[in-house]
Amino acid sequence: MSLTRLCALADLGPDKITRVEVEGRSPVALALADGGAVAFDDTCPHADESLSQGWVEDGRIVCAVHFAEFEIGSGKAHNAPIGCGRLRFYPTEIRDGAVHADLAD
Ligand code: FES
């Protein structure tokens, strides 16, 4: 497992989604959930919009554009437009107060 440092845990806020640019790949988004931090693709699987404009609600990531809801962990879409795929999540670890994720394909 190869971990990439994404940001300080203190930079994340409740119900907020934070976008992080990662060299050589598409941006990653972070949110506080499950007693720690979760990491997922920032790009909505419906229409290439940034999920950092959305929010966390009842264990789901909500897209602010068409309001698709993605289960934290599985990425399964609910209340989503036709053609919306599953959101990809990545394993995370907190080390020295920072959020790291395994972003391997
Ligand atoms: S762009 Fe996210 S639901 Fe349409």
Side-chain angles (χ1 to χ4, degrees):
M1 181 157 98
S2 173
L3 294 175
T4 301
R5 186 192 186 284
L6 297 174
C7 73
L9 182 60
D11 290 343
L12 305 181
D15 301 328
K16 174 183 152 199
I17 298 173
T18 300
R19 174 184 169 118
V20 177
E21 300 290 339
V22 179
E23 189 175 333
R25 58 155 295 135
S26 57
V28 175
L30 293 169
L32 294 175
D34 296 338
V38 293
F40 47 96
D41 286 329
D42 179 63
T43 305
C44 180
H46 173 234
D48 294 341
E49 299 287 343
S50 172
L51 288 170
S52 64
Q53 303 306 310
W55 60 91
V56 181
E57 186 176 311
D58 297 332
R60 295 179 178 179
I61 303 300
V62 182
C63 178
V65 180
H66 303 111
F67 308 109
E69 302 171 15
F70 302 95
E71 284 180 21
I72 290 176
S74 74
K76 183 177 178 188
H78 298 269
N79 304 318
I82 292 172
C84 183
R86 187 176 287 257
L87 179 62
R88 184 168 180 191
F89 280 76
Y90 300 94
T92 58
E93 275 188 32
I94 308 299
R95 289 186 181 178
D96 300 325
V99 184
H100 295 72
D102 181 359
L103 302 175
D105 287 330

